[in-house]
């Protein structure tokens, strides 16, 4: 079973601060996805990274896939209250495994 | 709105009972996934169907079963319910069943077993 460890588990910051959350595994993933989940809703896909070392930007969010395709990070610049939510990373492993495995997430609270 | 519809939104039942959760995927999506979310375990993959056939199985208990119908909607049946089955159950859909699919999640069914 491929495990994805996310850190920190909880993060509470003030509006305007920068932050980075991490997603680590001992397994290699063919791709990693980041989702954001708000209370009472299902996860919503933010980005998919496929190539080792890949960096993708989505407005104030920067996603990076590790060179060895075992880890990923999400950096948010100048966080806003609307960024509050549960950030989940998820990965597809190689071979014929079609299961998308999720980490337990980082619960981010951005205070005004 | 993801386009994935789950019903009911909330379900309260007693131990030993059986319930059915329903999911309608996005129009055009052939693949349906079921996940269970709890505070201690996070999002756990249960089962995946593609165009009516079971494609992948995860941590699904023998008391649970699912199917995907010809119109592509799916149902998750939970029987002999236990207190520990209380959780959020999500359905997701995708166009195909390849390794890098983008999943679209419904809003979930909150199951409370009393």
């Amino acid at each position: 079973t491929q495990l994805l460890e996310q850190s920190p588990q909880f993060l509470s910051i003030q509006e305007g601060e920068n932050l980075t959350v991490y997603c680590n595994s001992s397994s290699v993933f063919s791709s990693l996805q980041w989702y954001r989940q708000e209370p009472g809703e299902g996860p919503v896909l933010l980005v998919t990274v496929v190539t080792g070392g890949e960096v993708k930007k989505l407005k104030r969010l920067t996603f990076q896939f590790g060179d060895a395709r075992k880890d990923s990070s999400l950096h948010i610049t100048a966080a806003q209250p609307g960024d509050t939510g549960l950030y989940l990373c998820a990965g597809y492993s190689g071979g014929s495994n079609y299961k998308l495995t999720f980490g337990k997430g980082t619960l981010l609270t951005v205070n005004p | 709105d993801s386009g994935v519809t789950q019903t009911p939104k909330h379900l309260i039942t007693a131990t030993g009972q059986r319930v059915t959760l329903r999911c309608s995927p996005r129009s055009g999506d052939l693949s349906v996934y079921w996940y269970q979310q709890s505070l201690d375990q996070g999002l756990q993959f249960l089962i995946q169907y593609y165009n009516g056939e079971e494609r992948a199985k995860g941590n699904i208990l023998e008391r649970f079963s699912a199917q995907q119908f010809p119109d592509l909607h799916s149902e998750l049946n939970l029987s002999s319910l236990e207190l520990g089955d209380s959780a959020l159950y999500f359905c997701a859909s995708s166009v195909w069943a390849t390794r890098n699919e983008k999943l679209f999640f419904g809003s979930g069914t909150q199951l409370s077993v009393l």
Side-chain angles (χ1 to χ4, degrees):
Chain A
T1 303
Q2 294 82 18
L3 293 176
L4 284 164
E5 302 284 342
Q6 290 192 246
S7 61
Q9 191 176 353
F10 301 96
L11 188 56
S12 181
I13 62 171
Q14 294 300 121
E15 183 176 1
E17 293 183 6
N18 300 332
L19 67 115
T20 303
V21 297
Y22 301 92
C23 173
N24 295 292
S25 175
S26 58
S27 303
V28 174
F29 288 90
S30 62
S31 67
L32 265 176
Q33 299 180 343
W34 284 91
Y35 290 78
R36 181 170 67 209
Q37 184 178 14
E38 297 184 18
E41 298 297 326
V44 176
L45 179 66
L46 297 174
V47 77
T48 301
V49 285
V50 179
T51 306
E54 183 177 2
V55 176
K56 278 192 174 178
K57 291 191 175 184
L58 186 67
K59 297 183 180 178
R60 294 175 294 101
L61 278 60
T62 302
F63 304 86
Q64 186 162 6
F65 200 12
D67 290 340
R69 306 208 316 275
K70 292 183 178 181
D71 56 88
S72 182
S73 64
L74 159 59
H75 181 80
I76 301 179
T77 304
Q80 300 176 359
D83 296 327
T84 293
L86 179 66
Y87 288 82
L88 296 158
C89 67
Y92 283 101
S93 57
S96 60
N97 190 334
Y98 292 87
K99 301 175 191 176
L100 185 62
T101 303
F102 281 82
K104 292 188 178 180
T106 293
L107 185 58
L108 172 65
T109 303
V110 182
N111 303 297
Chain B
D1 183 6
S2 67
V4 178
T5 303
Q6 286 189 250
T7 57
K9 194 163 180 62
H10 301 279
L11 198 49
I12 301 174
T13 188
T15 54
Q17 295 297 305
R18 172 189 169 96
V19 297
T20 297
L21 312 184
R22 183 188 167 98
C23 170
S24 294
R26 289 189 322 156
S27 176
D29 283 1
L30 298 176
S31 200
V32 169
Y33 311 74
W34 286 97
Y35 281 84
Q36 179 192 59
Q37 187 175 40
S38 61
L39 283 175
D40 56 340
Q41 295 294 322
L43 258 176
Q44 294 287 310
F45 170 72
L46 295 179
I47 198 164
Q48 178 196 1
Y49 281 84
Y50 175 72
N51 205 20
E53 294 192 2
E54 182 183 308
R55 188 63 181 253
K57 220 167 185 177
N59 304 321
I60 188 166
L61 299 172
E62 285 196 9
R63 299 183 285 108
F64 296 0
S65 64
Q67 54 184 327
Q68 186 180 27
F69 295 87
D71 67 351
L72 301 178
H73 91 271
S74 178
E75 293 181 355
L76 179 66
N77 300 296
L78 316 176
S79 61
S80 302
L81 284 167
E82 302 176 0
L83 296 177
D85 297 328
S86 295
L88 254 175
Y89 291 84
F90 285 104
C91 167
S93 72
S94 65
V95 179
W96 305 110
T98 61
R99 206 160 46 237
N100 296 328
E101 286 297 316
K102 299 176 184 179
L103 269 58
F104 295 85
F105 283 81
S107 296
T109 293
Q110 177 69 62
L111 174 66
S112 298
V113 182
L114 305 178

